[in-house]
Amino acid sequence: MKNTMCDDDIAVDERPFSKTIDHRYLPFSLAKRAIFLISIPVLGIFTTIILAFYNVLPTMVDFMAFLIMYLIAGLGMTVGYHRHFTHKAFKASKWVRRLFIITGSFCAQGTVISWVTMHRCHHKYSDQHDDPHSPYFKKSKKLTGVKKFWHSHIGWTFDYVVPNPIYYARDLLRDPDVIRFSQYYYYWVLLGILLPGVVCGLICQSFLAGFTAVLWGGLIRLVVGANSLMAIASLTHMVGKKEFKTSDESRNIWWLSIFTFGESWHNNHHAFPASAKLGFEWWQLDLGGFVICLLEKLGLIWDVKQPSIEQRNSARFQ
């Protein structure tokens, strides 16, 4: 792994492009998208409850479908969408990048271009007025009390200033492979929902097994995964331990790293955004970082960035 300061080397396009996108129908479109993304997984939960009344309870196959799909989608998000595409923490072959786009899309958090745009905007204005999902501000309005958690966790998805991909993610817009695979985003989302059902249905030779696997490996997995990701935007900017000097309120939450594959070492991340590993100590669980080390040893990725011990020590609170 390369020792580097790990500051983001992502230069946004400073030419006279607007940083945001505005249109009179945009607020309605955002609200409609948020309701759609929330309602489908919730429908899965209600269906599961109704089935339970008829003694159709989850089986070990359902739990395995949930865990495997949660693992695949979560790693696609943290290793692919976040560390590779957003922060360029390492380089990867074309086929690995394509796999990252597909598996990251399983989380149904937007195309890789839109997600990268949003996250780079978050880093540029972290916990300031222009941060889309800061617990401290909703646009120019300062937040207090429970509104801080609500806005940063889910409220912001209904109404936010949309950052412009031309300004924040021009490198991805110039990549024809990223464009091509992003065009199939909703197909990848649907694949992530249906795949566990098809596999489990064929293995068990049962339509019911396939149907419940769709519920657990698809829809319920989306609910749990979405809330784990949302907790990074909300909880890790409100509670936890701050080990490194940063200009924002990012924090580390150890227990959340279990569910987010290392993403909740968030103060570590904001101190060294381009670091491929987010857990800097041996005891800081970072499954995403482990997978990156494995891929590097297999020769599938290279130029992996990581800050040196001296660089980390100089950034710590004394």
Side-chain angles (χ1 to χ4, degrees):
M1 290 190 178
K2 287 186 174 180
N3 285 332
T4 171
M5 281 300 291
C6 287
D7 291 328
D8 258 330
D9 58 358
I10 311 300
V12 297
D13 198 320
E14 297 289 356
R15 289 181 292 174
F17 294 111
S18 173
K19 296 180 183 179
T20 60
I21 299 173
D22 192 17
H23 192 277
R24 59 177 177 169
Y25 294 122
L26 201 54
F28 172 74
S29 178
L30 293 176
K32 184 173 66 174
R33 175 181 174 274
I35 293 170
F36 175 76
L37 291 176
I38 292 171
S39 62
I40 291 182
V42 169
L43 178 63
I45 293 177
F46 280 119
T47 304
T48 303
I49 293 172
I50 292 171
L51 289 174
F53 278 108
Y54 291 92
N55 290 322
V56 181
L57 301 175
T59 65
M60 185 57 67
V61 173
D62 295 325
F63 288 131
M64 288 302 296
F66 173 88
L67 289 174
I68 292 172
M69 290 303 299
Y70 188 89
L71 186 69
I72 292 172
L75 289 173
M77 175 59 69
T78 179
V79 177
Y81 266 40
H82 189 201
R83 306 188 203 193
H84 175 64
F85 286 108
T86 303
H87 297 292
K88 297 186 177 180
F90 57 87
K91 295 178 181 178
S93 66
K94 180 181 292 186
W95 285 102
V96 171
R97 285 165 61 86
R98 290 172 176 175
L99 187 61
F100 285 155
I101 293 174
I102 294 171
T103 55
S105 299
F106 286 175
C107 292
Q109 295 295 303
T111 68
V112 64
I113 294 172
S114 65
W115 198 92
V116 167
T117 298
M118 186 69 66
H119 194 69
R120 287 180 181 173
C121 178
H122 162 65
H123 271 269
K124 186 175 178 66
Y125 301 107
S126 184
D127 290 329
Q128 301 174 39
H129 291 179
D130 292 327
D131 185 345
H133 46 67
S134 171
Y136 303 99
F137 295 98
K138 180 181 179 181
K139 299 176 183 177
S140 60
K141 181 181 178 182
K142 191 169 184 179
L143 300 173
T144 58
V146 71
K147 291 180 180 179
K148 294 166 65 176
F149 174 77
W150 168 256
H151 171 71
S152 58
H153 195 75
I154 195 171
W156 71 275
T157 62
F158 290 88
D159 179 24
Y160 60 92
V161 177
V162 180
N164 190 350
I166 297 178
Y167 184 87
Y168 290 101
R170 197 167 181 83
D171 55 316
L172 298 185
L173 292 174
R174 286 172 171 162
D175 189 324
D177 216 45
V178 170
I179 295 294
R180 183 158 62 94
F181 272 73
S182 295
Q183 289 176 340
Y184 298 102
Y185 166 72
Y186 287 104
Y187 292 102
W188 305 137
V189 173
L190 188 61
L191 176 64
I193 294 173
L194 298 180
L195 182 62
V198 172
V199 173
C200 293
L202 290 174
I203 291 175
C204 299
Q205 292 293 294
S206 167
F207 174 81
L208 182 60
F211 181 71
T212 57
V214 167
L215 293 177
W216 284 90
L219 301 182
I220 294 176
R221 184 262 308 169
L222 280 177
V223 174
V224 178
N227 279 279
S228 295
L229 289 170
M230 291 170 181
I232 301 299
S234 56
L235 294 181
T236 60
H237 279 263
M238 297 174 65
V239 297
K241 187 175 181 181
K242 191 176 177 72
E243 298 184 21
F244 294 98
K245 293 173 281 187
T246 61
S247 60
D248 54 31
E249 295 300 322
S250 57
R251 298 286 194 273
N252 291 334
I253 303 178
W254 70 267
W255 58 267
L256 192 56
S257 67
I258 301 170
F259 308 101
T260 60
F261 305 146
E263 288 291 307
S264 66
W265 302 114
H266 206 54
N267 181 237
N268 294 3
H269 172 55
H270 273 254
F272 301 97
S275 176
K277 291 183 66 177
L278 304 186
F280 294 154
E281 308 296 338
W282 66 267
W283 50 268
Q284 292 184 334
L285 181 63
D286 180 11
L287 184 59
F290 173 80
V291 169
I292 289 172
C293 290
L294 179 61
L295 292 175
E296 184 183 26
K297 289 185 181 299
L298 293 174
L300 297 174
I301 67 172
W302 57 92
D303 288 350
V304 179
K305 299 176 184 177
Q306 180 178 321
S308 66
I309 295 175
E310 292 77 16
Q311 291 163 352
R312 297 202 303 264
N313 287 339
S314 67
R316 289 185 191 275
F317 284 108
Q318 302 298 325

